[in-house]
Amino acid sequence: MNSEFNIAVHCLTLLSLKEDHMANSEEISKSVCTHPARIRKVLGLLRKHGYVATKEGVGGGYLLNPSTENATLGDLYRLLAQGSLKPSWCSGGEELPCEVAANIQGIMDQIYGGGETALERYLDGITMKDVKRQIEASGTADPV
């Protein structure tokens, strides 16, 4: 799993909990504990896909699209992290004489593909509204 997925869920949840549903990258980065440029990169992609809008100028920032509460974590996973379950390297190679080496990559691709499908199905059952509810139920500090 890549960290952009976590950053996106964190940002969208934070925006959903703010009274005006808006914050700038500096505010958000303090909550996420990462650099504002990294926040802007993830939020730029989320803006491109309609999850947030931007408001320019003094007092501006990222504004949550109201329909985002119905987005699933599966939607965000496919946008930001699909394919990240499979490692970038796998042992073996089809050209090798060893039976295991010649077949392991294809078999592991099937295994990771099945895991990816199961993960997406699971994440499709969790909405941003569900995440917000869990945060609210925790009863801890107010959002930034």
Side-chain angles (χ1 to χ4, degrees), residues 48-111:
K48 180 179 175 183
H49 289 273
Y51 293 98
V52 296
T54 54
K55 181 180 175 192
E56 302 294 326
V58 177
Y62 295 92
L63 183 64
L64 186 68
N65 178 335
S67 66
T68 296
E69 73 176 9
N70 296 317
T72 69
L73 296 190
D75 297 330
L76 294 173
Y77 179 80
R78 282 183 284 281
L79 177 64
L80 294 152
Q82 189 170 43
S84 63
L85 190 59
K86 179 183 170 187
S88 59
W89 179 85
C90 186
S91 60
E94 293 175 356
E95 72 287 349
L96 297 172
C98 172
E99 183 179 20
V100 174
N103 292 290
I104 196 70
Q105 286 182 4
I107 291 167
M108 293 307 295
D109 283 348
Q110 290 175 356
I111 292 168

Side-chain angles (χ1 to χ4, degrees), residues 11-27:
C11 291
L12 295 175
T13 305
L14 179 68
L15 290 172
S16 75
L17 289 168
K18 293 198 54 83
E19 190 173 310
D20 58 1
H21 301 294
M22 188 170 72
N24 64 41
S25 59
E26 290 289 331
E27 292 174 274

Side-chain angles (χ1 to χ4, degrees), residues 83-143:
S84 63
L85 190 59
K86 179 183 170 187
S88 59
W89 179 85
C90 186
S91 60
E94 293 175 356
E95 72 287 349
L96 297 172
C98 172
E99 183 179 20
V100 174
N103 292 290
I104 196 70
Q105 286 182 4
I107 291 167
M108 293 307 295
D109 283 348
Q110 290 175 356
I111 292 168
Y112 285 117
E116 185 95 16
T117 300
L119 176 60
E120 286 182 33
R121 269 197 309 264
Y122 173 72
L123 294 175
D124 282 338
I126 304 169
T127 66
M128 287 303 305
K129 189 186 318 184
D130 297 330
V131 175
K132 178 183 177 183
R133 240 181 270 145
Q134 288 181 358
I135 295 289
E136 289 172 329
S138 72
T140 58
D142 292 330

